[in-house]
Amino acid sequence: DAKTTQPPSMDCAEGRAANLPCNHSTISGNEYVYWYRQIHSQGPQYIIHGLKNNETNEMASLIITEDRKSSTLILPHATLRDTAVYYCIARYNQGGKLIFGQGTELSVKP
Amino acid sequence: DGGITQSPKYLFRKEGQNVTLSCEQNLNHDAMYWYRQDPGQGLRLIYYSQIVNDFQKGDIAEGYSVSREKKESFPLTVTSAQKNPTAFYLCASSLTGDSYEQYFGPGTRLTVT
């Protein structure tokens, strides 16, 4: 599985868009990019994943660069409840483990 | 109400005792996983199972054991051989095949003194 690099922490004002970057420069052609988040002392929550195309669901949007070496998770209107650690994971999608790095601690402030 | 349950939420044991953590899912998922999380760290895989009666070691299996006798259940035993058992333990499940995400339980916080 490709190694991912994320900033350790970010702040965002409530109601604004939160843009969380992730570098995965060694990603291979069949590895998906997954995003999870973990609120303190709870289990991680799945947010979104993609392979090549940009993806959007009710929680967030995922923008993957054309060379697939980096991606950005966008929370369009951040709320205080979005304060959490966000993990970006590159994973070969054939029934395997998720390799969690340190993640980005997002603080949404009023 | 579908999901993954782990019990108990908090568990205390004396050093030298084995302890079994429960994980049950009613999502009809074939695959189940156990992860360990230490303070300020990401998750590390202990064991995983793709099908009943079969399981594989993850990255940190030493000192742990599992069983998968039923599709719904994947208990984890922390043995006395595990040198640093105090941690937050998370169970997850997923469908197998392409493009399926893992769903996580609420976790069990184990403290061994």
Side-chain angles (χ1 to χ4, degrees), chain A residues 16-83:
Chain A
R16 304 298 292 267
N19 297 289
L20 291 88
C22 179
N23 281 321
H24 30 79
S25 58
T26 60
I27 195 169
S28 63
N30 50 9
E31 282 186 301
Y32 285 71
V33 178
Y34 282 76
W35 282 84
Y36 283 76
R37 72 180 182 186
Q38 187 176 24
I39 295 168
H40 183 63
S41 294
Q42 296 183 22
Q45 177 190 21
Y46 165 80
I47 301 173
I48 199 167
H49 74 282
L51 183 63
K52 284 189 274 195
N53 300 323
N54 298 338
E55 302 286 345
T56 296
N57 62 20
E58 63 279 3
M59 287 183 70
S61 294
L62 174 61
I63 308 298
I64 302 174
T65 58
E66 197 169 332
D67 62 8
R68 302 206 331 117
K69 292 185 187 302
S70 66
S71 61
T72 301
L73 178 75
I74 301 171
L75 308 177
H77 305 287
T79 70
L80 298 179
R81 287 186 293 183
D82 291 322
T83 293

Side-chain angles (χ1 to χ4, degrees), chain B residues 42-62:
Chain B
L43 283 68
R44 292 183 290 166
L45 184 70
I46 305 172
Y47 268 98
Y48 64 103
S49 168
Q50 301 271 342
I51 197 169
V52 173
N53 293 321
D54 188 44
F55 47 82
Q56 286 79 41
K57 292 181 180 180
D59 298 318
I60 54 164
E62 186 175 348

Side-chain angles (χ1 to χ4, degrees), chain A residues 32 34 36 38 40-46 49 87 91 93-102, chain B residues 9 33 35 37 40-43 45 48 50 59 88 90 97-102 104-106 109:
Chain A
Y32 285 71
Y34 282 76
Y36 283 76
Q38 187 176 24
H40 183 63
S41 294
Q42 296 183 22
Q45 177 190 21
Y46 165 80
H49 74 282
Y87 295 99
R91 176 170 85 107
N93 204 28
Q94 290 269 328
K97 59 189 178 184
L98 296 173
I99 299 177
F100 286 78
Q102 302 278 59
Chain B
K9 188 163 178 63
Y33 311 80
Y35 293 86
Q37 187 173 34
Q41 304 294 316
L43 283 68
L45 184 70
Y48 64 103
Q50 301 271 342
D59 298 318
F88 188 43
L90 288 152
D98 287 345
S99 193
Y100 290 118
E101 62 274 20
Q102 292 182 17
F104 284 81
R109 191 167 297 280

